[in-house]
Amino acid sequence: MTTLEQQKIIEVVLYVLNKTGGMDYYHLFKILYFANQRSLVEWGHLMTADKFCALPHGPVPTELYDAIKGNGRVLPQLKESIFIEDYYLLPKREADPDYLSPYDIAILDDAIAQYGKMSFTELKNTSHTQCWEKARKKPGNHVIDVADMARDGGASEDVVQYIHEMVEWDEAFGS
């Protein structure tokens, strides 16, 4: 993950935390999941470069989760921008708007409005989709396939095919 991609994750998180006044990381993770899913459906790429894993309570952005838990090799600078107290996150500063497009902001605002006030159980039930179930059954890591994530979000098969091609390109050329 590039430095730019790392900073984008931090700025997206800060945007959500600034907009909500802070929240538990479970809600944050689901907002990010559904915002990234919508970006896949509408544009064929993730909003942030983090991979989502299918953990028991739903999809989780792995690098961000590791950083919050204090194991972050990829996002060591997260704690400079976010105050972490047990399960609750508060912003230490405003998000840098240079990292967020108007489209990112619109998607994040919609995801916050739709998922930000759901109960734990509602979020768990909403996020336990076919791609989550498929990833949970994989041996070893439980990384959710981005094409499956897009398909669950209602992407057309043309978009799903485009995503497959982009993943193959990235794997072949190390992007």
Side-chain angles (χ1 to χ4, degrees):
M1 186 180 303
T2 68
T3 303
L4 180 64
E5 291 168 332
Q6 292 173 15
Q7 197 62 43
K8 170 84 182 254
I9 291 170
I10 292 169
E11 300 308 325
V12 165
V13 168
L14 282 167
Y15 179 82
V16 173
L17 296 177
N18 289 159
K19 189 81 173 180
T20 61
M23 67 179 13
D24 62 88
Y25 62 74
Y26 186 79
H27 278 81
L28 173 68
F29 293 165
K30 301 311 172 262
I31 288 168
L32 296 179
Y33 173 77
F34 288 112
N36 274 279
Q37 183 181 57
R38 181 169 162 195
S39 183
L40 279 169
V41 170
E42 295 178 3
W43 290 96
H45 63 83
L46 293 165
M47 179 186 298
T48 59
D50 207 346
K51 292 179 180 171
F52 285 85
C53 282
L55 295 186
H57 297 295
V60 170
T62 48
E63 299 297 344
L64 179 58
Y65 181 68
D66 286 347
I68 288 170
K69 292 306 232 174
N71 307 325
R73 296 177 319 272
V74 174
L75 295 171
Q77 69 275 37
L78 179 74
K79 291 189 178 183
E80 296 169 12
S81 302
I82 297 167
F83 179 73
I84 303 166
E85 180 63 37
D86 294 323
Y87 296 99
Y88 206 78
L89 308 172
L90 291 168
K92 290 183 178 178
R93 63 173 176 83
E94 292 294 316
D96 184 339
D98 290 343
Y99 288 88
L100 301 167
S101 71
Y103 177 79
D104 293 338
I105 291 168
I107 287 179
L108 290 167
D109 286 346
D110 287 350
I112 291 166
Q114 188 167 358
Y115 304 104
K117 300 282 187 207
M118 280 188 175
S119 71
F120 177 90
T121 302
E122 289 172 317
L123 277 175
K124 182 178 173 184
N125 292 340
T126 303
S127 64
H128 284 197
T129 61
Q130 289 179 359
C131 69
W132 175 85
E133 289 179 23
K134 183 177 176 182
R136 287 293 301 161
K137 293 176 184 173
K138 290 192 311 192
N141 72 32
H142 299 292
V143 175
I144 297 173
D145 180 89
V146 290
D148 290 340
M149 188 173 157
R151 189 177 285 114
D152 272 5
S156 70
E157 283 307 309
D158 287 341
V159 170
V160 170
Q161 180 60 36
Y162 170 78
I163 292 167
H164 277 296
E165 291 170 4
M166 291 299 98
V167 168
E168 288 174 7
W169 174 271
D170 288 347
E171 288 172 356
F173 296 104
S175 298

